[in-house]
Amino acid sequence: MSEQPPYLRIADELRQRIAEHVWEPGARLPSRAQIGQECGVGENVVRRAQELLISQGVLEGRAGSGTYVAEPRQRVRVVRSSAREQPSGSPFRQDMKALRRQSDWESRTDAKVPASAEIATRLGIAEGELCVRTTYEFLADGKPVQLSTSWEPYAVTGGTLVVLPEGGPHAGAGVVNRMAEIGVTISHAVEQPEPRHATAEEASLLGIQKAALVTHIRRTYYSDDGRPVETADIVVPAAHCEIVYEIPINR
């Protein structure tokens, strides 16, 4: 069996010291040189260990100040379920209401954006075909907890009252309810979650460390005739949110 990489061993050591209250929440850690000397490793090994713990929300780095033990923060529960979308509001709003948190979101829509090769494949359209692109920043108690970029084929909604997801009489109603208004029935959605590191832009928007761990969900809604009518890239910070899948059982 291969030996555990040194930085993982140091990460475990730092995590244990925090668990044993050697360092309390909010405390500043000793310098990397000091920790390295105590543990018999170089500063680069300590840096990698700290970066790992920062990405997991155990530590936080403060530019020009050092590395600190992160304050305990309740993770936001994000529920993924096909049964969550209701005529009365969005699934995100329902989740936040259940947690007694104030929910809101900011959005920006760009109409008639050419589809990239990847988006075209996901929507089953030709590359360069026009789409309506909407970017979202979801907030819980005023703090960002989720990002999303949605793409809808302009050929599906163009010229209708639901062409703008966050505009018109059906603003904010959600994909399922909006599509129903133009006679498109959503039969199911497919989600592909995978862990990765946040980009610099995502980290800035979410208020997390650069390269912190996030869950990237590729979601696509399909109509009852098998046609993709919306696809989205959803980004959830792992340290601040827990993702729960509810699976309805048909009896």
Side-chain angles (χ1 to χ4, degrees):
M1 181 179 294
S2 60
E3 186 178 351
Q4 185 183 41
Y7 82 95
L8 292 180
R9 176 175 63 82
I10 300 305
D12 288 342
E13 171 67 23
L14 300 182
R15 194 181 288 108
Q16 182 176 351
R17 292 188 188 186
I18 294 170
E20 293 175 352
H21 303 285
V22 175
W23 299 317
E24 298 290 346
R28 184 178 184 276
L29 267 61
S31 68
R32 290 172 183 166
Q34 183 176 339
I35 294 175
Q37 186 175 14
E38 291 178 6
C39 299
V41 296
E43 289 187 40
N44 284 338
V45 173
V46 179
R47 176 183 56 78
R48 289 192 65 188
Q50 290 181 341
E51 287 176 348
L52 173 64
L53 295 180
I54 288 172
S55 73
Q56 295 173 345
V58 177
L59 300 176
E60 64 178 41
R62 302 178 189 175
S65 178
T67 304
Y68 294 76
V69 179
E71 296 286 350
R73 179 173 177 177
Q74 182 183 6
R75 298 174 79 199
V76 175
R77 183 183 176 92
V78 178
V79 179
R80 316 293 307 169
S81 171
S82 60
R84 303 285 295 176
E85 193 139 4
Q86 302 293 331
S88 58
S90 75
F92 178 76
R93 182 166 288 159
Q94 294 177 56
D95 290 340
M96 295 305 101
K97 184 177 180 180
L99 292 173
R100 297 183 180 180
R101 290 173 176 261
Q102 183 178 354
S103 64
D104 198 5
W105 59 82
E106 299 175 358
S107 66
R108 173 183 172 179
T109 296
D110 297 300
K112 299 184 178 180
V113 177
S116 66
E118 180 192 356
I119 295 300
T121 298
R122 286 160 60 174
L123 289 174
I125 60 178
E127 182 179 355
E129 194 168 326
L130 299 181
C131 293
V132 177
R133 181 184 63 196
T134 305
T135 57
Y136 294 90
E137 183 177 351
F138 292 92
L139 310 172
D141 293 337
K143 296 181 179 179
V145 293
Q146 180 178 309
L147 304 175
S148 178
T149 302
S150 165
W151 299 77
E152 297 177 358
Y154 188 76
V156 174
T157 60
T160 73
L161 293 176
V162 300
V163 65
L164 301 178
E166 299 298 323
H170 304 290
V175 177
V176 174
N177 299 316
R178 286 177 45 252
M179 291 296 171
E181 293 293 329
I182 58 173
V184 176
T185 302
I186 303 294
S187 64
H188 67 286
V190 174
E191 293 196 345
Q192 299 171 273
E194 65 178 8
R196 64 167 173 80
H197 295 289
T199 65
E201 181 181 7
E202 290 166 348
S204 177
L205 290 171
L206 289 168
I208 58 179
Q209 292 292 320
K210 183 179 178 181
L213 290 178
V214 298
T215 301
H216 177 192
I217 303 172
R218 292 179 177 87
R219 180 200 66 203
T220 303
Y221 277 111
Y222 292 84
S223 63
D224 55 4
D225 61 1
R227 176 178 52 166
V229 295
E230 189 261 9
T231 193
D233 291 293
I234 301 165
V235 178
V236 181
H240 298 166
C241 300
E242 60 177 2
I243 300 175
V244 178
Y245 279 84
E246 288 186 353
I247 303 175
I249 306 298
N250 295 323
R251 298 182 181 276

